[in-house]
Amino acid sequence: MPRRNLQILLFTVVFSLLCAFRSSPYGRALMYALEQIHQKALEPRTQKELAEAALRGMANELDPYSAYISAEELAQFDEELDRQFGGVGIEIHVDPDTRGVIVTTALPGTPAQRGGIRPGDRLLAVDGQDVSSANLDEVSRLVRGLPGSQVVLTVQSRGETEPRRVTLTREIIQGETVLGDTRNADGTWNYTLRERPDIGFIRIDTFADETDDRLREVLRQLMEKGVRGIILDLRSDPGGRLDVAVEVCDAFLRSGVIVTTQTRTGVVKERFAASGKAVCPDTPLAVLINRYSASASEIVAACLQDHGRAVIVGERSFGKGTVQELLDMEPGLGRLKLTTASYRRPSGKNIHRSVRARPEDDWGVRPDPGYEVPLDEKEVELQILARALRGMYRTAESPKPVGFENVPDDFRDRHVEKALEYFDRIKTELKTTSDRLGVGG
């Protein structure tokens, strides 16, 4: 579609919307303002720019989660939603002292790993462009590109005096969303705790397109190993796809309602229930949450708590209980992410935290009695760093990457420890019952 026709079409969309309010003084004022800005503003804007600004402004006025996504922003939005993009498979962070860009992990089986990129490498340039002090978004944009295209990374490893240039061919990278406790020698995840191999450990950092399928694969592996407990770590998980959250719950439940969504008038929009095809319906389960666990992660925690399927450990969750619908506009006109419903946990409670909510009000998901482990901000930050360091792909003798030197070797994850107390209590209770009944005697 020619650029001018696209601008006219987008302008018409907004203008038509305003016409719907023409009978009101607000509608007339909006139409008048739009016409005057377009005709008389000292610094003119195109019809497309004005229309997009109007759409963006309307969406932003609704709630913190509604948004207008322009056609130019769609590719990045979809990448972030599904964690799939053209790239080389590196994760990066910024050194807090030097502000340099450091490789956190070269994902197993990716061009970066095959090309010899290692955790702790300092990234100096991408295709000759200096990125030694660039921000992460800019670096990611340079590294990503069309699958099949080449990119040259200039990196310097710890202990080396000279940087080296590595030419890599980009591939489709499926970002990992179902993580384990530690990396194996081949870079794959170990889904049992290093110190307690009888306990499974699964960390979901977002609910993306293939998260549920991968989770079921991992659960089957753990069932074959005969673990006697599983920790599901949803800490700092901001959420993601509602349908994926439903499937995650379905993997643990035999039956029952998972979540219900309601419109603004209270009418039930959708009701999701377990399919009866659970992979892991009986193994004791502990779910870890913190103040940054939101949306889809809260759906999972609330569902498993209400059904008595899991003990909830950690901190009170964020309190985002709304559902966003993605509405595609005319071709080339982007997408509207619109909050259209709220969700209710199986008990019927709405966990959403309104803008006027007080700490004593009933919102979010609270840990079960006796399993609340509050952390201060410093400990939360240290816990996030320690978990990231623990999951890095590196040999045991490798030094800590830059930025992680202050993580203690003996760092204690108090949320994990509390979950282990739960499993040990169950073991003790089962043994006591067996002894009383004379089972095995």
Side-chain angles (χ1 to χ4, degrees), residues 2 20 38 78 113 134 144 172 201 213 219 234 241 261 272 275 303 324-325 337 390 417 419 421 437:
H38 180 61
D78 289 336
Q113 189 200 42
R144 295 181 182 183
I172 290 292
F201 184 89
D213 292 334
L219 288 175
L234 302 181
R241 293 182 176 272
T261 62
F272 300 91
S275 68
C303 170
Q324 284 67 51
E325 187 174 347
K337 186 177 74 164
R390 188 177 173 96
E417 290 181 344
E421 288 180 18
L437 298 176

Side-chain angles (χ1 to χ4, degrees), residues 176 178-184 187-191 203 391-392:
E176 297 177 305
V178 181
L179 318 177
D181 180 43
T182 56
R183 297 275 188 182
N184 296 310
T188 58
W189 283 107
N190 179 11
Y191 288 100
R203 180 161 58 103
M392 284 184 185

